[in-house]
Amino acid sequence: MTLTESRPSDELTGGCRVTVLSDRCAGCQECLVRCPTGAIGIDPERWVVVADDRACVGCRQCERTCPFSAIKVHGAAITTERRPVRLSHPADLFGDTSEIRRGFASLGEAMAEASRCLNCPDPTCVRGCPAHNNIPAFVEAVAAGDLHGAYGILRATTVMPDVCSRVCDQSTQCEGACSWSLAGAMPVAIGALERFVADSVGTPPLEVDSSMGEGMSIGIVGSGPAGMGAAFELLAAGADVTVYEADDHPGGLLRWGIPDFTLPAAVAERPWSTLLEAGAKLRCGVTISAGSLDDLASRHDAVIVAHGAGVALSLAVPGADLPGVEDATGFLHRAKNALDDGGRLDDLIGRQGQVATVLVLGAGNTAMDVARSAVRLGARAVCVDWMDRRFAPVRPDELAEAESEGVEVRFSTTLTRLEAGEGGRVGHAVLGRTTQKEAGVRPEIIKGAESTVEVDLVIAAMGYRNDPEFVAALPGTPVRKVTDGVADRRWQASGILSDRRSTFAHGRPVGRMALGREVTLADSAHPYRERTWVAGDALAGPSTVVEAMAQGRRAAQAILDHHPRRPAQA
């Protein structure tokens, strides 16, 4: 086999060496156009690529993008140290709802982190971001100290950078898809940079910058992230927007589903403050049923269905109907109110003077929110999940934070039954042990390995599904986040689908996940019934905040492009 090496190895001064297998190289130059440092060139006589080790930083984009596996990079990536996230854990958590994760302390710190960006010619981080934020451009602006310019770049694709930067799981999205992450190094702290920009610049008023929506009336069902994303886009185009919300306050998940220690109420309320100032009409306490969609469509030129997936997965074990067993939604509502009022959990369940034990079923992000809220209400919290710790879909940082706060998390553990205690309330939980060999394989229960724990409250945080009535009224929903066949050439050539499962992304295939999200983003641009679009959880089932927001914006853009009208006004 013929090899073309960049330079003799004894001349190396850095930590990287690039080897080109010349008999495989077709001279297609996929690597050359994507190399961010100019380390790749072309030999015009043999028409094969050549590399300069001195310019190589080990990002391995050439490896990932080569369709013929003709390039191999040796050595560790050469980059500066990533600025760590600062945490602020109070000594006494009881009643404390202050934000745990803190942003950059200074512009200099943010600029130093931003300077780590390679400004890749074909940025995989943008594909990993559900909103397709122009990450290299906004990071470059931060590196230059231009925060207002950075905010303007973000605002082109996101309407809530202050929220998303706090609640996004960047490790499986933009940061997991960063070239550094795909190369096995620490990615640029994109989320922290986005937060610094948003918090520093503030929230400017929404300005009408288009006349595409003038004369149009749009009804939006749901005031959560998807509804907010759509409302921003439509108001900016001059449309008349009315949002219908079943709750007494707007915001959906942002308001009641994410605790203040992760997303402070003041930050969560900013988007709706901006929308109301811009003229959005909000109708709280109004429930829109699946059967009333036609009536709603008769009152507006177009409708966007953007309600959440609020039907909790049922708990199918003996004793599930005992008093003291509830779902995460109800508990998070109660916990937020109790923390605002300075109450304790034992007061809420009638066990004054005793430390209540809360058993949380599940160990995902919602379960962590439930357990950490319970700790702040003076309770002991235990989470159980039948999956192996290695495969559980929880953010590693949230898991670490929860455990550091005293939450006991038991993986490979499942609930087999609940038993009544004093007064007929739930009092005991019988737990079994499980084993799981691979992430995609269902855990198996180990026979005879049971134990019993005393509990005062059991919270089911195992996930949610869409309302069956809406599913029937909107055939084709929820949409699966998967793709069939061969991926688009642009996605293949970017290298994001090379199945590099980085440690930072906790082993998850960020490329395939990002491509799956593109399916739902594309579907949000198409009506699911006459003049009716769907976005967020209503479209794809439980979704992240940024996914829902992006789908809402896409649905709004489609309405502005198609300009539908009620029959009477056609």
Side-chain angles (χ1 to χ4, degrees):
M1 180 178 293
T2 304
L3 300 181
T4 299
E5 294 197 3
S6 52
R7 293 182 290 113
S9 58
D10 57 1
E11 296 181 23
L12 291 177
T13 57
C16 296
R17 183 176 74 247
V18 184
T19 299
V20 179
L21 306 180
S22 57
D23 60 336
R24 291 186 182 180
C25 180
C28 68
Q29 301 178 64
E30 293 280 15
C31 57
L32 186 150
V33 298
R34 289 179 175 80
C35 176
T37 63
I40 302 292
I42 191 83
D43 184 334
E45 296 183 359
R46 295 180 299 151
W47 207 251
V48 296
V49 297
V50 293
D52 181 358
D53 291 335
R54 290 165 296 188
C56 178
V57 294
C59 70
R60 288 166 168 76
Q61 288 198 52
C62 53
E63 275 190 9
R64 293 190 295 275
T65 59
C66 179
F68 307 107
S69 300
I71 301 182
K72 183 66 178 177
V73 178
H74 310 270
I78 304 172
T79 180
T80 55
E81 187 176 350
R82 171 182 164 120
R83 272 66 183 172
V85 174
R86 295 183 300 120
L87 300 178
S88 177
H89 285 290
D92 182 7
L93 284 171
F94 176 70
D96 194 297
T97 59
S98 59
E99 191 171 10
I100 296 299
R101 299 178 205 131
R102 302 300 174 93
F104 289 124
S106 67
L107 175 60
E109 192 172 300
M111 291 173 67
E113 179 61 30
S115 69
R116 299 181 63 240
C117 179
L118 291 168
N119 201 0
C120 304
D122 187 358
T124 45
C125 59
V126 175
R127 297 184 189 278
C129 171
H132 294 171
N133 291 339
N134 189 345
I135 293 168
F138 107 76
V139 172
E140 185 177 31
V142 174
D146 182 9
L147 299 185
H148 283 86
Y151 190 94
I153 294 167
L154 285 168
R155 180 60 187 86
T157 48
T158 178
V159 300
M160 49 183 77
D162 47 356
V163 173
C164 291
S165 60
R166 285 171 164 85
V167 303
C168 275
D169 183 2
Q170 286 95 0
S171 67
T172 58
Q173 295 180 151
C174 57
E175 293 182 16
C178 171
S179 286
W180 287 130
S181 178
L182 296 175
M186 291 298 287
V188 176
I190 300 168
L193 291 172
E194 181 181 19
R195 170 177 170 165
F196 185 80
V197 170
D199 288 355
S200 299
V201 174
T203 306
L206 191 159
E207 298 181 358
V208 177
D209 55 16
S210 165
S211 60
M212 292 181 66
E214 286 185 0
M216 295 182 68
S217 172
I218 314 298
I220 300 175
V221 182
S223 66
M228 285 188 278
F232 265 93
E233 205 71 18
L234 293 165
L235 288 168
D240 183 84
V241 176
T242 303
V243 179
Y244 302 89
E245 171 56 52
D247 205 346
D248 294 333
H249 301 276
L253 174 75
L254 300 186
R255 181 179 178 275
W256 58 260
I258 304 177
D260 285 7
F261 52 79
T262 295
L263 180 65
V267 178
E269 293 167 1
R270 286 176 192 166
W272 260 109
S273 296
T274 303
L275 287 170
L276 291 173
E277 291 173 2
K281 298 172 183 176
L282 179 62
R283 302 288 183 264
C284 286
V286 178
T287 299
I288 302 296
S289 66
S292 61
L293 288 178
D294 287 337
D295 176 63
L296 189 64
S298 70
R299 289 184 269 138
H300 298 282
D301 295 308
V303 170
I304 298 178
V305 180
H307 62 275
V311 180
L313 295 179
S314 59
L315 179 58
V317 298
D321 57 347
L322 288 171
V325 180
E326 61 180 294
D327 64 61
T329 299
F331 176 80
L332 287 170
H333 269 288
R334 290 200 305 141
K336 179 159 276 195
N337 291 334
L339 286 168
D340 288 342
D341 296 338
R344 296 183 63 92
L345 188 60
D346 47 19
D347 295 332
L348 297 180
I349 62 177
R351 293 287 300 276
Q352 293 88 345
Q354 301 181 41
V355 176
T357 297
V358 178
L359 178 66
V360 185
L361 307 178
N365 299 323
T366 299
M368 295 300 109
D369 287 341
V370 168
R372 297 173 71 185
S373 296
V375 168
R376 284 163 172 77
L377 286 168
R380 169 179 175 249
V382 180
C383 293
V384 297
D385 194 296
W386 74 336
M387 295 186 72
D388 188 291
R389 177 184 283 264
R390 297 170 296 171
F391 313 131
V394 61
R395 287 176 52 167
D397 56 345
E398 289 200 346
L399 175 59
E401 290 167 15
E403 291 183 323
S404 71
E405 292 175 357
V407 176
E408 182 182 347
V409 185
R410 303 183 188 181
F411 290 99
S412 300
T413 303
T414 188
L415 176 69
T416 60
R417 68 181 183 275
L418 295 170
E419 299 173 347
E422 183 180 343
R425 286 180 56 89
V426 65
H428 302 89
V430 180
L431 307 177
R433 296 290 295 166
T434 65
T435 181
Q436 183 183 22
K437 296 179 180 179
E438 298 177 18
V441 177
R442 185 184 179 92
E444 297 179 359
I445 298 177
I446 302 172
K447 293 182 179 180
E450 289 188 342
S451 60
T452 302
V453 296
E454 293 186 3
V455 296
D456 297 293
L457 197 63
V458 176
I459 311 297
M462 304 176 298
Y464 296 86
R465 61 186 178 91
N466 289 26
D467 185 333
E469 292 186 5
F470 274 97
V471 171
L474 301 167
T477 64
V479 176
R480 297 180 64 228
K481 301 175 188 178
V482 294
T483 56
D484 297 320
V486 179
D488 182 283
R489 175 73 183 100
R490 292 168 298 177
W491 278 77
Q492 292 187 62
S494 73
I496 195 174
L497 299 177
S498 63
D499 204 32
R500 297 269 180 168
R501 304 196 179 200
S502 73
T503 302
F504 185 81
H506 37 99
R508 306 189 72 181
V510 292
R512 286 291 166 189
M513 293 170 67
L515 188 58
R517 290 191 292 264
E518 291 299 295
V519 174
T520 56
L521 193 60
D523 283 355
S524 63
H526 304 292
Y528 271 73
R529 53 193 291 162
E530 186 178 3
R531 295 182 292 109
T532 302
W533 280 255
V534 190
D537 293 359
L539 174 67
S543 304
T544 64
V545 169
V546 66
E547 285 179 76
M549 181 273 296
Q551 292 165 18
R553 291 187 67 249
R554 182 65 65 87
Q557 291 163 358
I559 290 172
L560 294 172
D561 289 339
H562 288 84
H563 222 270
R565 289 292 190 179
R566 283 167 281 182
Q569 299 183 9

